[in-house]
């Protein structure tokens, strides 16, 4: 059912974008420069979600440093021990 709902949502998403595109094109052809005003936060999210789904989300770089150096990576020492050995090296 989840896959079916995802497919349904994808079809609706496509229809909404196509409808928006048609409306903007018709308004442009009619010389209506005010049509761009119908673009709001919800419309921008619809467009961005479609782009991210089709093209992938842009890479986001994360700065792991802290200004006070409290998160500076520490050296980690790993000691491998043979479980069969008695620890004497022989």
């Amino acid at each position: 059912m989840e896959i079916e709902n995802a497919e349904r949502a994808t079809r609706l998403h496509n229809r909404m974008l196509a409808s928006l595109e048609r409306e903007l094109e018709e308004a442009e052809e009619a010389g209506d420069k005010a049509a761009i005003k119908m673009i709001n936060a919800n419309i921008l999210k619809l467009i961005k979600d479609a782009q991210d789904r089709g093209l992938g989300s842009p890479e986001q770089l994360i700065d792991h440093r802290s200004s006070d150096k409290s998160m500076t990576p520490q050296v980690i020492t790993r000691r491998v021990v043979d479980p069969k050995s008695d620890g004497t090296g022989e």
Side-chain angles (χ1 to χ4, degrees), residues 11-40:
R11 285 192 304 273
L12 287 171
H13 204 179
N14 183 48
R15 289 173 58 192
M16 287 187 286
L17 284 169
S19 175
L20 174 64
E21 184 177 36
R22 275 191 309 275
E23 284 183 46
L24 285 173
E25 286 173 354
E26 288 170 5
E28 230 175 43
E29 288 170 6
D32 182 5
K33 302 292 182 192
I36 198 72
K37 290 181 180 177
M38 79 166 135
I39 303 296
N40 59 36

Side-chain angles (χ1 to χ4, degrees), residues 44-63:
L44 291 175
K45 180 164 177 18
L46 177 73
I47 293 167
K48 181 172 179 358
D49 288 349
Q51 288 175 322
D52 288 350
R53 175 59 75 185
L55 305 174
S57 296
E59 182 178 318
Q60 295 180 352
L61 300 177
I62 299 172
D63 185 1

Side-chain angles (χ1 to χ4, degrees), residues 80-87:
V80 180
V81 179
D82 183 354
K84 298 176 204 156
S85 170
D86 61 4

